[in-house]
Amino acid sequence: MLYLFLLSLAVLALLSIIFEEVTHLNKAKTTLFFGCVSWVVLFMSAGSPAHEKIVEAELNENLLEIATLWLFLMSTMTFVAYLNAKGMIQILVQKLFPQKVSVRMLMLQVALFALLLSAICDNVTATLVSLGLLTTFKLDSQMRRRMAVLIIFAVNSGGVALITGDVTTLMIFLGGHLQISELLLLFIPAAVSVMLLALLFSLKAEGHVSTTPISRDYRRVDLVIAAIFFSTIVATMALNVLFNVPPVLTFLTGLSVMFLVGHNSRSNKEELQILEYIRQVEYDTLLFFLGILLLVGMLKEIGTLDLLTQVYTQFDPDISNFVTGIGSALLDNVPLTAALLKAEPILNPPQWLGLTYSVGVGGSLLVIGSAAGIIAMSKVKELTFVSYLKYVPALLLCYSLGYGLTLLLAYQFYG
């Protein structure tokens, strides 16, 4: 009974996201409510002090994971929110993209930009910067939503090819199952599938769009902070690969440098205005993440992830990997991958590549299936759970193509 009740709480949280437009209840607040209640129920049903200690230990572990992601999101979002407020992202777009471009060409350019950016930096940063591009073009609501979906898929796809781009790729690499040279093979199917989705989305796209002209002036300190942001991204990759420094620590260091530099060039009033702007823009996103991760942690605690791991081992790995990717659209791919690695499945290199691609890209099939999707849903008002569903057939087609190409190339490569 307890298992079914807790599972029903997760379903209710999902329904609150789906029907947000009907109920007018903020999805961040409903998911946080159900996430907290589920853990309260776990404590109340513990039955003994010894079991309470076990639940407490699991909660502390879950909160540590959440705190790490929260701090990482907060530091990344602060950089992006500041640069966006100062018009720096718009200026970057005007340098990289023509002032007037066809919608079809823009679709391909945005897809390629998000794909490459997510390969060299984390998915959160890539999503925030790529979504920042959309604010610089005068797009109608349908095209903005389609662009946001494309960015989600491109960001998740680009991240699978390098250990700096996706946590699950890093986990599989650190487990000793694949080498960096082998992972680079994934960039080919990832790029092909993203370009296919861009072409599908651009079939009915007509006309031209222009960038929003920048009238505001920026100061020297804004350029310095933009340089700090870029340097932080590079340092995050380098320190993680060379010394295994957690990305959150490097980004917090970069954020502290940003605050120190900014403090010497701004008044206290200006700093408060910037922090208030960040709070208004980002707080709902952080609450939504908190609620989702509490629910995923609860599902892990009651054994749902272990059950999925048992089912995984019952079938051919190539089929199981494909289905696991689809499953990662409902469950966070990090604990799902961790559960699979803990089960120690016996896979050959092509099958490990297939698993890496599927858990990295499969989350794109639902808007709540990846960090990129959750951020996009919080940032693009036209993008909701229900509106995202209409794109699932195209996303599934591109995911299937990418997975098929991964196996084809991998089996040919390994003979």
Side-chain angles (χ1 to χ4, degrees):
M1 282 295 292
L2 176 64
Y3 180 84
L4 291 175
F5 179 71
L6 290 171
L7 208 55
S8 68
L9 290 179
V11 172
L12 286 172
L14 178 62
L15 291 174
S16 72
I17 298 169
I18 296 172
F19 295 109
E20 181 188 20
E21 291 179 312
V22 177
T23 62
H24 300 293
L25 289 172
N26 187 304
K27 58 182 174 289
K29 297 176 176 62
T30 54
T31 51
L32 180 61
F33 171 76
F34 286 116
C36 291
V37 168
S38 65
W39 279 98
V40 170
V41 171
L42 280 173
F43 273 97
M44 292 175 64
S45 60
S48 67
H51 195 200
E52 286 174 2
K53 290 291 184 183
I54 294 173
V55 175
E56 183 181 2
E58 291 292 336
L59 176 62
N60 288 337
E61 183 182 339
N62 194 218
L63 289 176
L64 178 61
E65 294 174 2
I66 292 171
T68 302
L69 181 57
W70 250 54
L71 290 170
F72 186 76
L73 278 170
M74 181 272 295
S75 51
T76 308
M77 287 177 169
T78 302
F79 270 115
V80 175
Y82 176 87
L83 295 175
N84 191 46
K86 294 296 182 179
M88 299 302 292
I89 292 179
Q90 291 91 331
I91 292 168
L92 174 66
V93 170
Q94 288 188 349
K95 297 291 185 183
L96 294 177
F97 293 81
Q99 289 190 346
K100 189 173 183 181
V101 62
S102 70
V103 178
R104 289 182 179 178
M105 182 56 67
L106 178 64
M107 193 83 72
L108 295 172
Q109 290 176 337
V110 168
L112 187 61
F113 178 84
L115 179 77
L116 295 175
L117 186 62
S118 65
I120 60 173
C121 67
D122 64 278
N123 288 0
V124 174
T125 308
T127 305
L128 288 167
V129 174
S130 299
L131 288 174
L133 299 178
L134 301 187
T135 63
T136 66
F137 290 96
K138 297 176 182 178
L139 301 167
D140 59 51
S141 59
Q142 182 180 1
M143 190 54 60
R144 191 180 296 110
R145 182 170 59 237
R146 201 179 296 177
M147 287 277 198
V149 175
L150 180 60
I151 286 171
I152 293 169
F153 188 79
V155 164
N156 287 328
S157 297
V160 300
L162 286 173
I163 58 174
T164 51
D166 194 281
V167 177
T168 53
T169 301
L170 179 61
M171 290 166 65
I172 292 170
F173 168 77
L174 292 177
H177 304 295
L178 290 170
Q179 301 300 316
I180 291 179
S181 57
E182 296 171 316
L183 288 168
L184 288 173
L185 193 67
L186 292 174
F187 193 77
I188 298 172
V192 170
S193 59
V194 168
M195 288 300 108
L196 173 62
L197 186 64
L199 287 172
L200 290 174
F201 280 3
S202 65
L203 289 177
K204 295 181 180 179
E206 297 178 354
H208 291 72
V209 288
S210 56
T211 56
T212 306
I214 300 296
S215 56
R216 65 174 72 118
D217 295 323
Y218 58 87
R219 295 183 294 175
R220 185 177 180 181
V221 67
D222 299 328
L223 289 174
V224 173
I225 289 175
I228 293 170
F229 181 44
F230 178 77
S231 301
T232 302
I233 293 173
V234 175
T236 299
M237 295 185 291
L239 292 177
N240 185 259
V241 172
L242 296 175
F243 304 105
N244 205 28
V245 177
V248 62
L249 184 59
T250 311
F251 247 99
L252 284 173
T253 304
L255 184 67
S256 66
V257 174
M258 170 191 168
F259 284 146
L260 289 171
V261 170
H263 180 75
N264 293 325
S265 59
R266 291 194 302 264
S267 66
N268 289 335
K269 184 179 178 181
E270 284 179 311
E271 281 207 348
L272 286 173
Q273 287 175 340
I274 291 170
L275 291 174
E276 178 63 18
Y277 168 80
I278 294 166
R279 186 196 68 78
Q280 291 176 352
V281 172
E282 316 300 352
Y283 199 60
D284 271 0
T285 304
L286 292 171
L287 285 180
F288 190 33
F289 259 109
L290 177 57
I292 288 288
L293 292 175
L294 280 172
L295 285 165
V296 171
M298 177 272 292
L299 293 173
K300 181 181 178 182
E301 169 67 12
I302 63 176
T304 302
L305 296 182
D306 293 333
L307 183 63
L308 289 175
T309 304
Q310 292 172 15
V311 174
Y312 175 91
T313 58
Q314 301 300 314
F315 300 94
D316 180 273
D318 290 335
I319 297 173
S320 294
N321 288 339
F322 181 81
V323 176
T324 299
I326 296 174
S328 70
L330 279 172
L331 292 169
D332 187 86
N333 61 354
V334 174
L336 184 59
T337 305
L340 288 173
L341 291 175
K342 189 177 180 181
E344 298 181 348
I346 301 173
L347 305 178
N348 57 36
Q351 291 164 347
W352 279 115
L353 284 170
L355 178 63
T356 305
Y357 180 88
S358 64
V359 294
V361 181
S364 309
L365 297 177
L366 290 178
V367 73
I368 61 169
S370 65
I374 293 172
I375 291 170
M377 187 161 52
S378 301
K379 298 290 183 187
V380 182
K381 64 180 181 179
E382 295 89 355
L383 189 65
T384 63
F385 186 93
V386 175
S387 67
Y388 194 89
L389 292 177
K390 66 183 288 187
Y391 303 105
V392 170
L395 291 167
L396 182 59
L397 172 65
C398 294
Y399 164 73
S400 302
L401 174 67
Y403 182 76
L405 278 176
T406 297
L407 294 184
L408 180 65
L409 290 172
Y411 280 114
Q412 283 188 346
F413 182 79
Y414 290 98

